[in-house]
Structures are given as structure tokens and as C-alpha cells.
């Protein structure tokens, strides 16, 4: 059984999707054993507590140097024996220590079809604002591994979502969450916990 640490910053609907999937028995070989928030007021913390999941808060601003923050987060994850780290709406950039310590063991959910609308500055509602400003007709979500390139790690699963006339960033965000994110993130986590993802040359292959 793999220990899953989920990193959050806000509402935590993706965390909730993971909790619900685990409860339905859809993550057979993994268990969420802690939720770590960058924000002490994140509603995601309440969701964890409602489900008796251990919580921690780690704030970038409590560390003078980024390296110290990076080290503290790495040590916190190690102290929880994390086998998999899931970024579920985590809005703080990860440092090189945590990324190298958990190489190919960090999964992020991003609210677009990478490589569109991703990279530095593309997070949360901004991603959907950019998609609408460009006028694309299809967007979606991507579950991918995290490496040192922002949103550049190996892609695990993607799901497309239609853009409709009159969409606002908020309406589109909700549709992308409902139709894509809450579905593909638990699937990617389950595949990882079942050891069904192979990575070669930055490309994944899912074993049937
Ligand atoms: C989600 O849409 C997630 O894909 C996005 O933030 C939202 C968090 O919502 N993440 C990023 O933009 C990361 N670059 P949640 O707290 O309700 O899961």
C-alpha cells in the first residue's frame, strides 16, 4: 500500500475527488495519509479533517530562504513516508530538492491540455481566462508528473472539454473540473499506485 501525500492551497475539490475515489475502492493500492497546505485557511484542510486525515501547514513566507523552505517540505514529506505526492491545486512552486527526492513520484493536475496554457503564471482561473482570450474551442485537463520544467513533466492522462458560447472563466473552470479533473486525477493516482505507469524519455506508457 502506497502512502499518498496531497498538497493543497485552496478549495480542495480535487482532494475531495481523491478522497471519494479512495472510499469507493478505486485506489486499491494507495491511501491518503496526509494533506499539506500552503495556506492555513484553505477549505481543503477542513475536507481532510472531516475525513480524519492528518493535516500539516507549511508556508513559504515562514522561511527566509527558498532553499530552507524546499528542505523543510522535503523533510516533512519524508517524515510522512510519502510514496506519492499529489499536487491538487497547490499554488507554491516546488524546489529542486523536493523534485529530485521524489523524482517521478509527484503528480500534478493542470486545468488545460498541456502544452497549451501552461507554464509560469498559468494557474487557477488565469488558465481559463487565457483559453477564452485565445478563442480555442476545446480545452481540458492534464494529469502529469512534475519535473524541473514548470508543467513540463511526462503526461499521464488528458481529457478534452468543450468550450461553449458565453463561457466565463468561472463557468469554464467548473466544467473542466467536473468533466475532466475530478475524473483523471484519481485515475492517474490509481495507475501509479498499481505500478502501471512506465516512463521512457519523458513519455509515459500505461500498462494494461
Ligand atoms: C484546479 O482547477 C487545479 O487544476 C488548478 O487549481 C484548481 C484547484 O482547485 N491547478 C493549477 O492551476 C496548477 N497550475 P481545487 O483546490 O478545488 O482542487
Amino acid at each position: 500500500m502506497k502512502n499518498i501525500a496531497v498538497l493543497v492551497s485552496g478549495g480542495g475539490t480535487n482532494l475531495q475527488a481523491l478522497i471519494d475515489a479512495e472510499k469507493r475502492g478505486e485506489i486499491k493500492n494507495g491511501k491518503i495519509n496526509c494533506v499539506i497546505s500552503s495556506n492555513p485557511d484553505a477549505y481543503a484542510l477542513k475536507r481532510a479533517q472531516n475525513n480524519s486525515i492528518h493535516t500539516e501547514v507549511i508556508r513559504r513566507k515562514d522561511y527566509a530562504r527558498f532553499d530552507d523552505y524546499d528542505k523543510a517540505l522535503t523533510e516533512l514529506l519524508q517524515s510522512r513516508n510519502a510514496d506519492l505526492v499529489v499536487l491538487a491545486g497547490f499554488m507554491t512552486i516546488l524546489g529542486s530538492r523536493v523534485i529530485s527526492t521524489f523524482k517521478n513520484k509527484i503528480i500534478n493536475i493542470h486545468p488545460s491540455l498541456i502544452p497549451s496554457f501552461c507554464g509560469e503564471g498559468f494557474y487557477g482561473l488565469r488558465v481559463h481566462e487565457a483559453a477564452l482570450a485565445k478563442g480555442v474551442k476545446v480545452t481540458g485537463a492534464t494529469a502529469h508528473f512534475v519535473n524541473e520544467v514548470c508543467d513540463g513533466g511526462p503526461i499521464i492522462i488528458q481529457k478534452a472539454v468543450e468550450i461553449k458560447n458565453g463561457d466565463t472563466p468561472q463557468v469554464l473552470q467548473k466544467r473542466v473540473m467536473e468533466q475532466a479533473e475530478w475524473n483523471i486525477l484519481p485515475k492517474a493516482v490509481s495507475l501509479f499506485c498499481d505500478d502501471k505507469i512506465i516512463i521512457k524519455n519523458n513519455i509515459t506508457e500505461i500498462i494494461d
Side-chain angles (χ1 to χ4, degrees), residues 115-185:
S116 290
F117 312 116
C118 64
E120 251 172 71
F122 287 96
Y123 57 85
L125 267 185
R126 290 176 183 219
V127 178
H128 305 293
E129 283 164 5
L132 291 173
K134 182 65 192 172
V136 293
K137 303 303 178 199
V138 174
T139 184
T142 304
H144 66 95
F145 285 109
V146 171
N147 65 12
E148 50 297 326
V149 180
C150 184
D151 295 329
I155 291 169
I156 307 168
I157 311 181
Q158 295 188 295
K159 192 159 189 287
V161 173
E162 193 189 345
I163 291 182
K164 298 185 178 172
N165 287 341
D167 272 352
T168 63
Q170 288 79 3
V171 166
L172 183 57
Q173 179 181 53
K174 185 165 178 281
R175 188 180 312 121
V176 169
M177 284 176 159
E178 287 173 354
Q179 294 185 5
E181 295 185 43
W182 301 342
N183 176 262
I184 65 173
L185 182 62

Side-chain angles (χ1 to χ4, degrees), residues 2-101:
K2 290 187 170 57
N3 291 321
I4 305 169
V6 184
L7 273 53
V8 297
S9 298
T13 63
N14 279 287
L15 166 67
Q16 191 67 54
L18 289 168
I19 293 171
D20 294 346
E22 187 185 314
K23 279 193 185 156
R24 288 193 302 265
E26 290 169 13
I27 304 176
K28 287 191 195 67
N29 295 308
K31 185 170 171 43
I32 302 169
N33 85 340
C34 75
V35 168
I36 300 173
S37 179
S38 61
N39 163 17
D41 301 319
Y43 185 69
L45 287 170
K46 185 99 183 79
R47 294 182 192 269
Q49 284 150 10
N50 288 345
N51 289 278
S52 308
I53 300 169
H54 178 90
T55 60
E56 301 269 357
V57 173
I58 182 162
R59 294 191 298 184
R60 166 67 188 92
K61 68 176 183 188
D62 290 340
Y63 299 85
R65 296 181 333 139
F66 185 77
D67 280 0
D68 295 336
Y69 163 76
D70 189 16
K71 184 164 182 278
L73 179 57
T74 306
E75 287 173 356
L76 176 56
L77 289 166
Q78 286 172 325
S79 77
R80 300 301 306 173
N81 296 315
D83 300 303
L84 169 65
V85 179
V86 179
L87 309 186
F90 189 62
M91 298 304 177
T92 306
I93 293 284
L94 294 185
S96 55
R97 183 189 290 250
V98 72
I99 291 172
S100 59
T101 305

Side-chain angles (χ1 to χ4, degrees), residues 190-204:
S190 173
L191 288 168
F192 178 92
C193 292
D194 292 348
D195 293 315
K196 285 193 170 161
I197 312 175
I198 296 171
I199 309 173
K200 272 187 215 153
N201 300 326
N202 216 38
I203 288 176
T204 67

